[in-house]
Amino acid sequence: MHDDRTLVEARLRRVLDERIRPAVYPESVPLRVAVWHAPGEPVPVAEGLAAEPEPIEVGARWGAPWGTSWFRVTGTVPEAWAGRTVEALLDLGFDENMPGFQCEGLVYRPDGTPVKGLNPRNQWVRIGAPVAGGEEVRLHIEAASNPVILDYHPFRPTPLGDKDTAGQEPQYTLARMDLAVLDETVGQLVLDLEVLGELMAELPLDSPRRSDILRAVERALDAVDLQNVNGTADRARERLTGVLSAPAVPSAHRISAVGHAHIDSAWLWPLRETVRKVARTAANMTALLEDEPDFVFAMSQAQQWAWVRDHRPEVWARVKKAVAEGRFVPAGGMWVESDTNMPGSEAMARQFVHGKRFFLDEFGVENEEVWLPDTFGFAAGLPQIIKAAGSRWLLTQKISWSRTNTFPHHTFHWEGIDGTRIFTHFPPVDTYNCSMKGSEIAHAVRNFRDKGRARHSLAPTGWGDGGGGTTREVVGKAARLRDLEGSATVGWETPRAFFEKAEAEYPAPPVWVGELYLELHRATLTSQARTKQGNRRSEHLLREAELWAATAAVRTGRPYPYAELDRIWKTVLLHQFHDILPGSSIAWVHREARATYERLADELTTIIEDAQRALAGAGTVPLVFNAAPHPRRGVPAGGAATPAGTPPADGTALAAREDGGFTLDNGLLRVTVDARGLVVSAYDPAADRETVAPGEAANLLQLHQDFPNMWDAWDVDSFYRNTVTDLTDAESVTAGEDGISVRIERAFGASRVTQILSLAPGERRLVIDTEVDWHETEKFLKLAFPLDLHAERYASETQFGHVHRPTHTNTSWEAAKFEACNHRFVQLEEPGWGVAVVNDSTYGHDVTRTVRGADAPGTTTTVRVSLLRAPRFPDPETDQGVHRFRHALVPGASVADAVREGWRINLPERTATGAREVAPLVTVDDATVVVTAVKLADDGSGDVVVRFHEAHGGRARATLTAGFPVAGVTVTDLLERPAGDGEVPREGERIAVHLRPFELMTLRLRRN
């Protein structure tokens, strides 16, 4: 038999494109269209409906960037269409290849009832099925003219990312606005041919099944009269019945399709636009659920649910009904799909507290799966946080984006730093926007790495990033794939149903230990420094606010600010979304974030100071409030007192050197700064150890060219290291105004740096305050500390502990981690002596090592802190302006020292005057146990909640003592629900606790 395969396949493509798809809507009449352009920001629905529009014609330009236009479309269904299905086709000027990334609309009836959303893959509104003929049609469209930021030529700088710079040029051309007859038989034929054609293309050329499909398709095309497609579609479908009804083989891979619309809470659009994106998508999905009885849709991010509730109550009513039916599923149990590398311990915990509590309060739903398809890697402390929140499973897709190494599993146990294991699944379909294409389904089957032990995977199905969700066409394709020979089987399921089946099928999966590092998007640890500083500052201010407010409530009866703290926490958590905190959103998002963080800082400072005044009383006694979890200068952790044993002001000596530099000496550390403003020596006299490597200089600013191959704000590629400029020229190196510090000024490019190096009396740490007036483009600024240390690994703080990373690059896995995340410290050591670098606001860093030559034998291990970048997409002005950073070099530091100094630099003392000292609400007698939160219980009971963990990586036996009468103690989960075996034994207010390495524990203390 002659091989005519390519002939038939080409015929299928052309007939589908040019004859059959156009016949889905065989008849149409135009609608009348009028438009009103809302001035400024979006207006309430009632105002948009009441506005008087002006006529507009198809083909007219509309929509200034970020504008809102209210279209009114009217018309009459022709009498001749009686008995047929009629839809309105409303094309705002869509490019169907960009769902979620351009203009969108929400359709309303005249009474304000939302109908459904409009987007490039969903342009129809059902008028009637069937119609009687003669119906008057009147619809209103709230259309958002969101500009295209990520265009076909991506990553090019654009002013469109902020309404203040975007201009007023119309963005779109109004396209089709018609009433049309829908021929559902032709629509079904399109899906038949698409599914079979896509399946056929994925089967082996010599497969009998492929040939069977080819011949069936050929017979179907023969049955189509190209001049009368609508009249012959039934006949063509009949010829496909056999190949569409052939069942899958018993060993076929099983795919659980979960309706999905990944919606970035902010990214290439501002937060206010996400509110509307979620409403459009929810309206679409509730409508689709009504039409498709097998369909199931899952939506994550409690914040997005809250937006629908608060801003679109009509849509919310439909959502609640669908949730009650078990088909619109709350997923994930987090406030937002956050970054998980940079949020601090408490913030990561509160993502689950607020997310899970929202779904419990609103729907009585307990989420046990964590849904993070697009997050840029996962910190090693996360598994125990998931477990402590009462969750069991994790789903993500993003690790498939790794550039260097292919992750070896799709279903596995992920083990965190404390030994907690979480059942984890990476969908082998390798997308969170599955559209049921044959190529996607076949890829999932081929790609699944756990074949032979498991045969079940999940496919998040629907258009996402900018929302939109699943379409009726995708549901139709999934129905044909339910049990089809040559394909995986597909069925709609909830995330819970999938995980229960997958876990039962694979009871002993492989184990991955440690962080899930994404070998991509490493620069998100540095981009948009002000956003990251705002987050860090907010996290620590919240700690202080809860601590002092709880102490004041217990000690003085002062009302605890439940509502204020709840609102502020949710705002901070929102800004930890995985395109806000990582710095990968448009300028508008980060401009608003800066203003929000400033407002929150003011509010939290007021809460803190009011509580401290209530605690201290009116008086003139000088007091220091210490919110850190360790005592300092005689002030207990969580208390206030007059500092004891304060070193005299002259405890640090500053001496000028002949070379133009200075020496700082406080008896605990002697630091030499040369005429370049570089630290050439940091000598620890107690250990008789030099910190700085021979011939090297610390406090060295280094500038790199930084132009990644793509994803500018997200990526830094390894070749950035190929070129570096050491910023060694100093305009001046002088004594600081206090007479015991060194001031350094430098200029480079269009930028300036001012640094203050200080060595406080009685402290073994060199503090480096850096101010950068940054005006570079496509550059990367690092601060280097070459250390005289031989260390094969280093400790990097993460949530509720630290993770160790190698300093070498033996394997490709290690080499790929050339930029990594830390929280407050990194620490390196040889047995008996180490060094820490602590920070108040930076996350990105790298650690490398070199072996020195014969003239200075030994190993140099260099820690470099990432300060600033200057990518031009999506914000062309990223980080331009003044930035301030504080770091400290701590010679002789153990992990314990690093933990303590990291907290201290982030929680500076607060000074006040009052009438009395303030005793801590709780104390712990073991420095290895770090208290991360002291607060009142969220239920308003007045109980005190204390959260703590073992911070050094060993066992701990400690006594926690309450500074108030205690009636009972309970171990709880993160949501403050009982999680142990009942009451915790105690002796009065003394509670004995035993902790495993890095173990997290929450206690609820009932007050007498």
Side-chain angles (χ1 to χ4, degrees), residues 506-529:
Y506 207 4
V511 178
W512 182 269
V513 178
E515 64 187 328
L516 293 169
Y517 179 91
L518 178 63
E519 296 171 354
L520 192 73
H521 292 0
R522 302 168 181 89
T524 57
L525 303 173
T526 305
S527 296
Q528 298 287 358

Side-chain angles (χ1 to χ4, degrees), residues 260-524:
H260 184 236
H262 175 63
I263 304 178
D264 287 311
S265 289
W267 180 28
L268 306 180
W269 43 86
L271 287 167
R272 66 90 154 146
E273 192 55 35
T274 314
V275 174
R276 302 200 295 176
K277 282 177 173 286
V278 175
R280 296 175 200 126
T281 298
N284 259 351
M285 295 303 95
T286 52
L288 189 60
L289 288 167
E290 293 174 0
D291 295 339
E292 302 290 348
D294 295 331
F295 178 54
V296 175
F297 181 77
M299 189 168 87
S300 67
Q301 307 190 72
Q303 171 68 87
Q304 297 188 359
W305 291 72
W307 281 334
V308 178
R309 180 196 63 190
D310 297 341
H311 295 274
R312 287 293 190 272
E314 302 88 351
V315 177
W316 180 248
R318 288 161 52 175
V319 167
K320 288 184 67 176
K321 177 177 179 293
V323 171
E325 295 168 352
R327 297 179 61 211
F328 198 117
V329 182
M334 295 176 68
W335 190 247
V336 294
E337 290 182 10
S338 73
D339 179 80
T340 74
N341 286 312
M342 290 177 282
S345 302
E346 271 305 306
M348 200 73 254
R350 304 300 175 96
Q351 285 286 351
F352 291 92
V353 169
H354 288 284
K356 294 196 74 168
R357 188 171 288 147
F358 180 90
F359 292 135
L360 283 164
D361 291 348
E362 294 290 342
F363 306 113
V365 171
E366 172 87 12
N367 291 108
E368 292 191 285
E369 78 287 336
V370 180
W371 188 271
L372 292 169
D374 192 31
T375 294
F376 309 153
F378 300 89
L382 188 57
Q384 76 162 329
I385 299 173
I386 292 172
K387 183 179 180 181
S391 296
R392 300 164 53 191
W393 308 303
L394 169 67
L395 177 137
T396 185
Q397 179 270 328
K398 200 68 173 187
I399 300 299
S400 69
W401 285 42
S402 285
R403 289 282 179 81
T404 305
N405 298 284
T406 300
F407 197 80
H409 317 296
H410 279 107
T411 302
F412 59 100
H413 273 142
W414 178 29
E415 182 177 316
I417 56 174
D418 73 314
T420 297
R421 291 182 177 181
I422 295 296
F423 189 85
T424 302
H425 181 67
F426 295 170
V429 72
D430 279 351
T431 178
Y432 49 77
N433 294 323
C434 178
S435 61
M436 288 293 145
K437 288 181 181 177
S439 57
E440 295 172 338
I441 303 304
H443 176 75
V445 175
R446 288 192 297 266
N447 188 40
F448 188 56
R449 297 189 186 97
D450 301 286
K451 297 183 186 75
R453 299 184 182 274
R455 57 186 182 94
H456 200 175
S457 69
L458 185 147
T461 303
W463 302 105
D465 288 317
T470 320
T471 65
R472 65 183 178 187
E473 292 80 12
V474 169
V475 174
K477 294 177 82 167
R480 289 159 173 80
L481 296 170
R482 183 178 294 115
D483 188 13
L484 184 62
E485 183 185 356
S487 170
T489 63
V490 175
W492 296 104
E493 289 192 304
T494 65
R496 172 182 288 274
F498 162 76
F499 275 109
E500 287 176 341
K501 291 178 180 178
E503 197 169 30
E505 172 187 71
Y506 207 4
V511 178
W512 182 269
V513 178
E515 64 187 328
L516 293 169
Y517 179 91
L518 178 63
E519 296 171 354
L520 192 73
H521 292 0
R522 302 168 181 89
T524 57

